[in-house]
Each structure stands twice: as structure tokens, then as C-alpha cells.
Amino acid sequence: MRAGEMAEAYPVVGLDTSALVAARFIARDRLPGIVVTEADGSPKAVLAASQVVRFMVPDYVQDDPTLAGVLGDVPAARIADRLRQVKVAELLPEKPAELAVLHADDTIVEVAATMARLRSPLCAVVDHDRILGVITASRLLDLVCGEQFG
Amino acid sequence: MRAGEMAEAYPVVGLDTSALVAARFIARDRLPGIVVTEADGSPKAVLAASQVVRFMVPDYVQDDPTLAGVLGDVPAARIADRLRQVKVAELLPEKPAELAVLHADDTIVEVAATMARLRSPLCAVVDHDRILGVITASRLLDLVCGEQFG
């Protein structure tokens, strides 16, 4: 089995995509993150789910998490509004983690080695710069040693 | 909404659990990781899916990922056997990342702040040291700004 066969089709987002749209893709597919592409469609970065979660929290609470407790119950709609107002580009760290990019003919061990080296929960599989799909760490574990193998 | 209501029931594993069993739980539920408990049932660490993936790769390939290519196709069964032979304790880093532990009455912002601070894809929700369940980053995003909110 090679990376091209292991890849699953998931939506990707651009730097200009609304953070709320990215959050909803991650939520709907219960993904650990989502692939961010350049304007030409080539993969640029992984936006981890926890990076989106980070933006749900006001800046001053990010700096001092003990303040989260005194805020009380913030309506979910107000948090969603925060995400609606920013783009994916603003959620990425200044130096985004190296994107795990695999090629369609990479072997299981190559997929695992890349994912492990980058400690990435997901990687993009490309064929000549075109994204074929995504492999999550849990998908890889399922394909290699899932319950179907008894 | 508080953490206790947001938590989902997922299996936890102990330090003595076979790595293969942990891998299968992660794979079956498509989780970003799994909570590891002490012998008394209290939460100890998160075993990230990518840490299990790391162990799928022979040591010398972990040290030099370019060697992954020369291995060719390693049968999935042989990789699963590697996992069968070790316990969860051996997959955890020497200094495991701080476990994100939330309390049942924590607010959405407290959950998000903790998850963001630890950059953790999942956290355990406890009530007096008893684990009520787990909240993943994608679950949190779904509850706060999922498509159901239109």
C-alpha cells in the first residue's frame, strides 16, 4: 500500500479563508487539523485544530490562562464571531511548522517516518504539486493495525 | 455549557496496555490521541497518535528518515507485530507533555485556554480524579461553532 491509496479527500483552505469556515471543516470531519494551500493550490501549512482553539480565547487570557475562570460563561455565538472576523492566515504561527508532504508512491514506512519526524497529526499527499488527499495519524494506524486484522 | 457536558466517553489505556491495543482504540475512534491512566485510574498523560506512529518506524529510520525509502514495502503485519511487543509506557516520551486535565464545571473558555496553552489535541475531564470523558479540539470547535449554528 502506498500513500496515494491511503489518502482521504478532505477540504483544504486558503490563507484568505475565514477562520470560521476552517473551524467548521475541522469540526465536521473531526480532523486533527486542516491543510492550508497557497493561491496556486500547492500545500503550504497544516493548521492544527488546537491553533484554531487558541483563537477562541481572548488575547489577554492566552497570556494569563488563570483569567479564563473569571470570564464566566461566554456565549458560543460570541466566540464564533471572533473566528468569523479573521482569516486562516492570522491563525497560523509566524513560523508555521513544516508541512508534512508525501508523494503518492511513498511507502507505509516513509509515511510513518515523515509523520513521526514532524510530530504531525496529518500530512498531505501530492502528485506533482496537486493534492491527492490527506492521511491522518489515526488513519495510518487503522490501515496498518486496525481491528480488521483481528 | 460546561466541560462535563462536553466530554465524550472514550476508552483509556494504562501504562501496561499493549501498544497495539492503544493503536486500535485511536484508529477505531479516529482520535488524535488517547488518555493514559495511572494504576489507580487517575489521568497521567496523553499518548498522541503521532507518538504511536513514531514507533511503527525502526529505530535507525527514526534517526535517519532518508533510510525509510530504501526499506521498500514492509508488510503491515510486521509493523503491527512491533506494536504488539511493547507497552504504552515504552511509547511515552521520557518527559511526557503535561496532560490537559479539566474539571467538570470548567467553562468553554477555560477548556479552550487549557487546550491552547498545552497545544493539546485532547484533554481529560475529571470529577474528583474520576475521568468523565475526553474533549478533542475538533469536538470543542463543533460545539462552539459547528455547522448546526448556520
Side-chain angles (χ1 to χ4, degrees):
Chain A
M1 191 167 30
R2 298 299 175 102
E5 301 157 71
M6 301 164 72
E8 294 180 293
Y10 283 122
V12 298
V13 293
L15 291 167
D16 282 343
T17 304
S18 148
L20 185 62
V21 170
R24 286 183 170 173
F25 283 143
I26 290 171
R28 186 192 67 188
D29 296 329
R30 291 299 184 95
L31 289 170
I34 193 162
V35 172
V36 183
T37 56
E38 301 276 9
D40 68 1
S42 61
K44 177 190 173 64
V46 166
L47 178 66
S50 66
Q51 285 165 336
V52 185
V53 166
R54 183 167 187 275
F55 202 83
M56 292 168 58
V57 180
D59 296 346
Y60 60 91
V61 178
Q62 286 176 30
D63 295 337
D64 182 357
T66 61
L67 292 176
V70 303
L71 276 180
D73 288 304
V74 177
R78 202 199 301 170
I79 298 173
D81 272 343
R82 266 181 71 81
L83 289 170
R84 202 187 304 272
Q85 286 161 26
V86 295
K87 294 182 187 304
V88 163
E90 295 166 68
L91 266 55
L92 289 175
E94 266 186 49
K95 294 185 180 175
E98 184 183 339
L99 174 66
V101 177
L102 297 158
H103 297 276
D105 62 351
D106 282 349
T107 64
I108 290 174
V109 175
E110 285 175 304
V111 172
T114 300
M115 211 177 256
R117 181 173 64 83
L118 299 174
R119 297 175 189 195
S120 178
L122 116 179
C123 50
V125 181
V126 300
D127 185 18
H128 299 95
D129 266 9
R130 191 173 64 88
I131 298 179
L132 294 178
V134 164
I135 305 175
T136 63
S138 57
R139 160 87 168 164
L140 177 61
L141 290 173
D142 192 33
L143 289 169
V144 171
C145 55
E147 285 172 343
Q148 68 275 21
F149 299 113
Chain B
M1 191 166 31
R2 298 299 175 101
E5 301 157 72
M6 300 163 72
E8 294 179 293
Y10 284 121
V12 298
V13 294
L15 292 166
D16 283 343
T17 304
S18 149
L20 184 63
V21 170
R24 287 182 170 175
F25 283 142
I26 290 171
R28 187 193 65 187
D29 297 330
R30 290 300 184 96
L31 289 171
I34 194 162
V35 172
V36 183
T37 57
E38 300 277 10
D40 67 3
S42 60
K44 179 189 172 67
V46 166
L47 178 65
S50 65
Q51 284 165 337
V52 184
V53 166
R54 183 169 188 276
F55 202 84
M56 292 167 58
V57 180
D59 296 346
Y60 59 91
V61 178
Q62 287 176 30
D63 295 337
D64 182 357
T66 60
L67 292 176
V70 302
L71 275 180
D73 288 304
V74 177
R78 202 198 302 170
I79 298 174
D81 272 343
R82 265 182 72 82
L83 289 171
R84 201 187 304 271
Q85 286 160 26
V86 295
K87 294 181 188 302
V88 163
E90 295 166 69
L91 265 56
L92 289 175
E94 266 187 50
K95 295 185 179 176
E98 184 183 339
L99 174 66
V101 177
L102 297 158
H103 298 276
D105 63 350
D106 283 349
T107 65
I108 290 174
V109 174
E110 285 174 303
V111 172
T114 301
M115 211 176 256
R117 182 173 63 83
L118 299 174
R119 297 176 189 195
S120 177
L122 117 178
C123 50
V125 181
V126 300
D127 185 16
H128 298 96
D129 266 9
R130 191 174 64 89
I131 298 178
L132 295 178
V134 164
I135 304 175
T136 62
S138 57
R139 161 86 170 164
L140 177 61
L141 291 173
D142 192 33
L143 289 170
V144 172
C145 55
E147 285 172 342
Q148 68 274 23
F149 300 113

